[in-house]
């Protein structure tokens, strides 16, 4: 893994598979220790790999637990993730533009 970005409050995102390995897709892992608002520019398949997180987007709230999966379409807008008290999310993205 290589640290892709700090998300604040001790939360961060690591790149696991990026353009240096393949141009077909990207994989990252987000480690959450505090609430984070993410606004990705592409679609994301997200899998909770540890903990529990509350996801809020488009006026809806969903409680996601370990092994829950969710598809976040491109253009969804900001998504607020609030870990309970911590969570890890594996994120699969399409190729970089």
């Amino acid at each position: 893994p290589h640290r892709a970005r700090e998300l604040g409050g001790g939360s961060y995102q690591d790149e696991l598979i990026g353009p240096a390995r393949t141009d077909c897709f990207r994989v990252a892992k987000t480690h959450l220790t505090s609430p984070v608002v993410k606004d990705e520019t592409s679609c994301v398949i997200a899998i909770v790999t540890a903990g529990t997180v509350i996801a809020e987007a488009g006026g809806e709230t969903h409680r996601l637990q370990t092994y829950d999966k969710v598809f976040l379409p491109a253009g969804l807008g900001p998504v607020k993730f609030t870990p309970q008290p911590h969570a890890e999310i594996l994120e699969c993205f399409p190729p970089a533009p």
Side-chain angles (χ1 to χ4, degrees), residues 34-95:
S34 63
V36 168
V37 176
K38 293 179 71 183
D39 192 359
E40 301 293 352
T41 58
S42 66
C43 63
V44 180
I45 297 171
I47 304 165
V48 179
T49 57
T52 300
V53 63
I54 304 298
E56 300 173 64
E60 295 188 23
T61 301
H62 299 276
R63 184 175 191 268
L64 305 172
Q65 300 179 93
T66 304
Y67 306 122
D68 282 347
K69 299 163 265 324
V70 63
F71 177 76
L72 305 172
L76 175 65
V79 179
K80 181 179 181 184
F81 293 100
T82 305
Q84 306 287 302
H86 61 81
E88 293 180 358
I89 303 172
L90 186 71
E91 298 164 303
C92 305
F93 298 90

Side-chain angles (χ1 to χ4, degrees), residues 7-55:
L7 300 171
S11 298
Y12 58 93
Q13 184 180 58
D14 286 339
E15 178 182 81
L16 302 180
I17 301 173
R21 293 236 184 230
T22 181
D23 60 356
C24 297
F25 60 90
R26 298 173 289 141
V27 178
K29 188 166 208 176
T30 295
H31 303 264
L32 298 169
T33 58
S34 63
V36 168
V37 176
K38 293 179 71 183
D39 192 359
E40 301 293 352
T41 58
S42 66
C43 63
V44 180
I45 297 171
I47 304 165
V48 179
T49 57
T52 300
V53 63
I54 304 298

